[in-house]
Amino acid sequence: MEALDDQALWQRLVAGDAHAFGTVWDRHRDRVFRHLIAAGNSPSDAEDLTAAAFLELWRRRAAVRFVEGSLLPWLLVTAQNVHRNASRARRRYRSFLDRLPHPEPEPDPAELIAERDSPRARQVRAVLSTSRAQDRHLAVLTTLEGFTVREAAAAIGISESAAKMRLSRLRTRLSQALLDPARTEGTPS
């Protein structure tokens, strides 16, 4: 069976042959793709633009021009136009981004940590690191998380009076450490 030229294939497509468009795609996609790669597109962009060129082929199916029975010249011109439109859109987008105000520079996170690592913070960390785990949990739950002493005690599994006593001792140790840094070293409660 003799292969049909694109014009005859296109007439079959317009008449309702669903496989004819697939045949046109198979016949010309590689050539359109190579043309778009040669135009300077990345392979992934060339794939997208190839699909866009064939979408234009379908969208403008009533206005397609054949050159000696072939769709390829029309497809290559359409692919070039799709490429130029995409390039223009990228340039406009970059230009838009360049016109936006630049964000203020953010401080280095390492510098922020160093600022927080004041002598006072080191003293508090030293006291907390030598405290019992339950005392640390109580402090976190009541101070940072906003729970009441009763709620924090219930979460840890101790009585409310025991929690109050532990928090009182921890506060005393923290106060002493902040008033006399030399006493901070190695005194667990």
Side-chain angles (χ1 to χ4, degrees):
M1 181 173 170
E2 185 179 318
L4 298 174
D5 68 358
D6 289 346
Q7 195 165 8
L9 198 58
W10 200 254
Q11 288 169 353
R12 288 179 67 178
L13 177 114
V14 171
D17 183 356
H19 297 287
F21 193 80
T23 303
V24 171
W25 167 264
D26 290 340
R27 207 177 264 183
H28 297 301
R29 74 168 178 247
D30 293 339
R31 184 78 184 272
V32 171
F33 177 78
R34 283 193 306 269
H35 178 77
L36 290 165
I37 289 286
N41 293 289
S42 69
S44 63
D45 286 344
E47 287 176 4
D48 292 343
L49 295 174
T50 298
F54 277 88
L55 178 63
E56 281 299 302
L57 174 65
W58 179 254
R59 194 177 70 78
R60 305 214 40 216
R61 62 189 173 274
V64 171
R65 291 190 183 141
F66 295 90
V67 176
E68 296 179 10
S70 176
L71 278 170
L72 185 60
W74 188 92
L75 273 169
L76 293 178
V77 169
T78 300
Q80 191 62 36
N81 290 339
V82 167
H83 161 72
R84 271 192 243 124
N85 289 342
S87 295
R88 243 189 325 270
R90 279 192 297 272
R91 279 193 308 274
R92 282 193 303 262
Y93 180 69
R94 280 193 299 267
S95 174
F96 168 73
L97 290 179
D98 288 344
R99 289 190 309 265
L100 290 175
H102 294 287
E104 294 296 318
E106 293 292 324
D108 185 3
E111 291 174 10
L112 293 175
I113 291 171
E115 287 175 10
R116 282 186 276 172
D117 203 18
S118 66
R120 186 175 174 93
R122 283 192 298 272
Q123 291 165 341
V124 169
R125 261 196 307 280
V127 169
L128 291 175
S129 70
T130 60
S131 298
R132 292 184 183 141
Q134 282 187 338
D135 296 352
R136 285 193 304 271
H137 293 312
L138 279 171
V140 167
L141 289 173
T142 57
T143 307
L144 300 177
E145 300 296 334
F147 287 100
T148 65
V149 175
R150 175 178 287 152
E151 294 168 331
I156 292 176
I158 60 174
S159 68
E160 183 179 358
S161 59
K164 286 180 181 178
M165 182 182 65
R166 287 177 182 269
L167 285 172
S168 176
R169 286 183 188 160
L170 185 58
R171 277 191 223 103
T172 301
R173 284 191 60 219
L174 285 169
S175 296
Q176 289 172 349
L178 293 174
L179 292 175
D180 185 11
R183 294 184 60 189
T184 303
E185 309 302 325
T187 54
S189 61

